[in-house]
Amino acid sequence: MDELTRLKGVVLVTVAYIVLYYHFVFGQSLTTFYLYFEAKRLKKTDEKVRLGAIKYGARNDKRARCADRTVGNTLEQAVPFLTSLWLYAWFVDAESAMYLGW
């Protein structure tokens, strides 16, 4: 069997992981913009609301912290997950690696 055909499922799992990561990054950005527009709507003074203050400032909002940790945890676990997935697929069994990866 051709190596590329044998590893096709593991390639799909890897692509799905990367797509999921970018989905979380998009959600993080969406959360930041939501909080920015919410702060603009709720402001009580003439002080200007700055996006940088929302994005990089003190993140006491649970929604922002959840979005930040989701991206951080996904990135943190990418190296051990993808490394073990590919090593298992290469040296043991690619089909079972695909099922374990899903």
Side-chain angles (χ1 to χ4, degrees), residues 26-37:
F26 177 76
Q28 181 186 32
S29 297
L30 189 64
T31 302
T32 300
F33 280 112
Y34 176 81
L35 293 174
Y36 170 71
F37 289 118

Side-chain angles (χ1 to χ4, degrees), residues 4 18 20 48 55 59-61 66-67 71-72 74 76 88 95-96:
L4 187 58
I18 293 167
L20 180 66
K48 191 172 185 178
K55 187 173 182 179
R59 305 291 290 256
N60 293 328
D61 190 89
C66 179
V71 170
T74 304
E76 177 183 301
Y88 189 87
E95 186 175 353
S96 60

Side-chain angles (χ1 to χ4, degrees), residues 8 19 31 85:
K8 182 175 85 170
V19 167
T31 302
L85 176 75

